[in-house]
Amino acid sequence: VDEMKRSSMQRPEWLSDNTVSACPRCLCQFKTLTRKHHCRQCGGIFCGECTMNRTPLPHLEYDQPVRVCQCCFDINATVMKADRRNPESNTQAALGFQSLTDVGLSQMMMMEQGCLEVVVSCIDVYNTTASRHYCKSFSNISNNEANRQKMIEGGVIEAVIPLLGLPHPDPETCSHILSTLEALAHVNDVQVKTRLVDNHFDLIEQLCSSYDTSTKAAAASLLLRLVFNDATREEIVKRGGVEILVGLALSEHPAIQEISARAIARLAEDDKYRRKVVSTGALPPLLLQLNSFSERVQEVSARALSNLSHSTENQAKILAAGGIHSLAPLLSTKYTPALENVTHVLSNMSNNPAIQDQLSDPELLKSLFIVSSTTTQLAQLYSVITIANLSHIPSVLVKIKGDVAFRSLLKNMAENPTLGKVSNYSIQILNQIDCEGKLKIWRGSTAGTRKSLIDDINNNSTNNNISNISNNINNTNI
């Protein structure tokens, strides 16, 4: 405490009277009868009621009692109680700091006056009650993004980690600590990697296996944030973070499943991690989570699969893991984000010639026809793309021709240029049908009409499949 006081011997510069029109503590407007008063400790302007207290400030060379605001008075009183050698006094100080950090103004003034150093120095692993209140203070302070870098540099991580490593840590204290660490993990700084991941990853892994569900979920949230952090992502993968996430995906709790799927989805955005994610065994739990009762779990699991399906290698593995049987039921969902991600997976897979035949399941096609009529533009686009990519397969073409309602929908979409790509792919499917019909005409035509048929097909060709039909006609030996 004495060091903190000596660190700020210079009196603060007073705010100018014309910069403040209301008391920042009680928000009363300054008028003729409501005068402005300066706090001698912080230099701020407050009303008379909020500066009623008088106290000596020897560290600012005020040996006699002078006017201070209520916030500074409370801060001084709390700081004077902070002493690890006196557990009762230290507990009172911890409770006082928690109350101060609940209010934005006093929290800001605490940080400006160097109180963070006091709180860090007073953490006591043997005083559970005091530690709980101090850690709640850290959690409150870390909610303000502007405080996080100071907290990292001020040694907060090193102060709270020992509390997590106790044989039987207090669950409430753990919750406050993990909330604080998650907030600090937002800071894209190498210090987060050094102070948290490099030094304490084993503890994070241990907490992700906790029998206490709330602790496990909080630790998973911390791991998620470290995956999103550019400064720590690579190290998390190297240290086995993917394996931990796959294990969390097998949890029975939807909140933990969602956290895991979000982290896997983020890793799957980078091509260099996709093979690692799949080889670690992420596909079975992700596909299983598509059947979750939680729409959010369905959405993020489908998003992870969507990101993974950008790889041709992964497309085949998704199919081999039973992907069609897991994806198809979700085509009937009314939850738009999940539907868009599922149709995106199918769209990516339909681009792979090696597995196109396995996507021509009649029930799957029927569902895609229905989704194509949806007002959800992305889901509609991905469905039409999938059908267009499969439309050269005879069984798919038969299915399209046999569905009068879908063919009518295709014509309407093809004639509506405002639909953009949806219109273009609808035209492509219709051309596929038209070219297939002309191929049948060719087989029974006379030599005089063959050239015009070939020219007509080539003029309407919009994809490789249609061009292939033209080549087949040229090579047909009648």
Side-chain angles (χ1 to χ4, degrees):
V1 173
D2 291 339
E3 288 179 2
M4 187 202 81
K5 294 297 186 182
R6 286 196 295 269
S7 68
S8 179
M9 292 295 294
Q10 187 175 0
R11 292 183 179 182
E13 183 177 347
W14 285 13
L15 285 178
S16 175
D17 284 357
N18 58 13
T19 61
V20 180
S21 60
C23 175
R25 184 173 181 272
C26 68
L27 304 181
C28 72
Q29 295 292 317
F30 292 124
K31 298 178 183 178
T32 304
L33 298 179
T34 307
R35 295 182 55 195
K36 301 176 181 178
H37 300 276
H38 282 89
C39 171
R40 271 53 173 178
Q41 178 158 313
C42 67
I45 296 176
F46 301 85
C47 69
E49 287 193 11
C50 292
T51 54
M52 292 179 63
N53 294 295
R54 305 289 188 275
T55 186
L57 302 174
H59 59 291
L60 296 179
E61 299 182 352
Y62 289 116
D63 295 326
Q64 299 300 316
V66 291
R67 184 188 296 270
V68 293
C69 67
Q70 187 64 49
C71 289
C72 286
F73 184 81
D74 292 340
I75 289 172
N76 288 343
T78 303
V79 167
M80 295 306 296
K81 296 176 184 176
D83 185 354
R84 289 179 59 181
R85 296 167 298 182
N86 186 334
E88 184 178 350
S89 179
N90 200 29
T91 300
Q92 293 176 4
L95 186 57
F97 278 124
Q98 178 181 327
S99 298
L100 288 167
T101 57
D102 284 334
V103 181
L105 177 62
S106 54
Q107 182 189 120
M108 178 187 70
M109 294 174 69
M110 275 183 57
M111 295 297 291
E112 290 177 349
Q113 295 180 30
C115 292
L116 180 66
E117 183 181 347
V118 177
V119 179
V120 168
S121 67
C122 288
I123 291 288
D124 184 0
V125 295
Y126 300 106
N127 190 335
T128 303
T129 304
S131 296
R132 184 187 307 125
H133 294 308
Y134 278 131
C135 290
K136 176 58 177 173
S137 301
F138 287 139
S139 179
N140 290 340
I141 296 171
S142 68
N143 286 331
N144 186 337
E145 186 178 348
N147 295 331
R148 292 171 184 167
Q149 189 70 47
K150 288 183 181 178
M151 294 180 72
I152 294 171
E153 295 171 355
V156 170
I157 295 175
E158 290 79 1
V160 299
I161 285 293
L163 296 171
L164 290 176
L166 293 174
H168 302 287
D170 177 61
E172 189 176 345
T173 303
C174 283
S175 175
H176 298 325
I177 294 173
L178 290 170
S179 172
T180 301
L181 295 177
E182 181 186 355
L184 299 184
H186 280 78
V187 180
N188 187 6
D189 190 290
V190 70
Q191 289 192 70
V192 177
K193 173 182 175 296
T194 304
R195 293 171 182 253
L196 186 55
V197 180
D198 290 350
N199 296 337
H200 305 293
F201 182 79
D202 290 344
L203 180 58
I204 297 173
E205 181 179 6
Q206 177 184 330
L207 292 169
C208 284
S209 302
S210 172
Y211 290 107
D212 182 76
T213 303
S214 59
T215 299
K216 187 174 187 176
S221 293
L222 171 59
L223 186 60
L224 167 68
R225 186 47 50 194
L226 292 170
V227 166
F228 271 79
N229 191 324
D230 293 339
T232 57
R233 186 182 308 114
E234 183 72 26
E235 191 64 25
I236 290 295
V237 174
K238 285 181 180 178
R239 290 176 176 266
V242 179
E243 289 81 354
I244 298 173
L245 290 170
V246 171
L248 290 169
L250 297 172
S251 169
E252 297 177 354
H253 302 280
I256 297 176
Q257 291 176 353
E258 180 187 341
I259 292 167
S260 171
R262 285 181 61 196
I264 292 173
R266 175 60 189 88
L267 290 174
E269 289 179 13
D270 295 339
D271 183 58
K272 64 179 179 179
Y273 299 131
R274 287 174 186 156
R275 176 173 291 183
K276 172 70 173 177
V277 168
V278 173
S279 65
T280 306
L283 288 181
L286 287 175
L287 290 169
L288 186 64
Q289 287 175 183
L290 294 178
N291 298 317
S292 171
F293 292 107
S294 167
E295 290 182 334
R296 281 287 298 158
V297 173
Q298 291 178 350
E299 176 196 348
V300 293
S301 299
R303 187 195 311 157
L305 290 166
S306 173
N307 292 339
L308 290 171
S309 68
H310 285 289
S311 161
T312 302
E313 179 183 359
N314 288 343
Q315 291 166 7
K317 291 182 178 180
I318 291 172
L319 194 64
I324 296 301
H325 298 294
S326 300
L327 293 164
L330 212 53
L331 290 173
S332 60
T333 182
K334 302 298 182 184
Y335 186 54
T336 299
L339 180 62
E340 290 177 348
N341 283 313
V342 166
T343 51
H344 191 206
V345 176
L346 293 171
S347 172
N348 287 338
M349 293 173 69
S350 69
N351 274 312
N352 188 341
I355 61 175
Q356 285 177 337
D357 285 339
Q358 299 176 68
L359 296 175
S360 59
D361 178 77
E363 292 302 316
L364 178 66
L365 291 171
K366 183 178 178 180
S367 298
L368 288 170
F369 291 169
I370 295 172
V371 176
S372 298
S373 62
T374 183
T375 55
T376 305
Q377 193 165 0
L378 272 178
Q380 182 185 52
L381 173 61
Y382 294 141
S383 297
V384 174
I385 290 175
T386 303
I387 296 167
N389 288 337
L390 301 176
S391 62
H392 68 284
I393 300 174
S395 61
V396 175
L397 209 54
V398 169
K399 186 71 176 176
I400 296 172
K401 289 179 179 179
D403 195 313
V404 178
F406 180 62
R407 281 193 288 115
S408 176
L409 174 67
L410 284 174
K411 290 178 182 179
N412 291 334
M413 292 191 296
E415 293 170 357
N416 187 354
T418 61
L419 294 177
K421 291 183 178 180
V422 172
S423 177
N424 294 338
Y425 280 102
S426 298
I427 293 171
Q428 178 177 319
I429 298 170
L430 290 171
N431 283 343
Q432 182 73 47
I433 297 171
D434 187 46
C435 290
E436 185 72 15
K438 287 175 180 175
L439 178 58
K440 290 182 179 180
I441 296 172
W442 167 276
R443 289 172 179 150
S445 65
T446 62
T449 60
R450 292 172 187 171
K451 185 177 183 305
S452 60
L453 282 170
I454 294 173
D455 291 341
D456 190 18
I457 290 172
N458 286 330
N459 290 336
N460 287 285
S461 294
T462 56
N463 67 5
N464 292 332
N465 294 330
I466 297 175
S467 298
N468 288 339
I469 292 176
S470 176
N471 291 334
N472 288 338
I473 289 177
N474 283 316
N475 295 328
T476 299
N477 182 16
I478 301 180

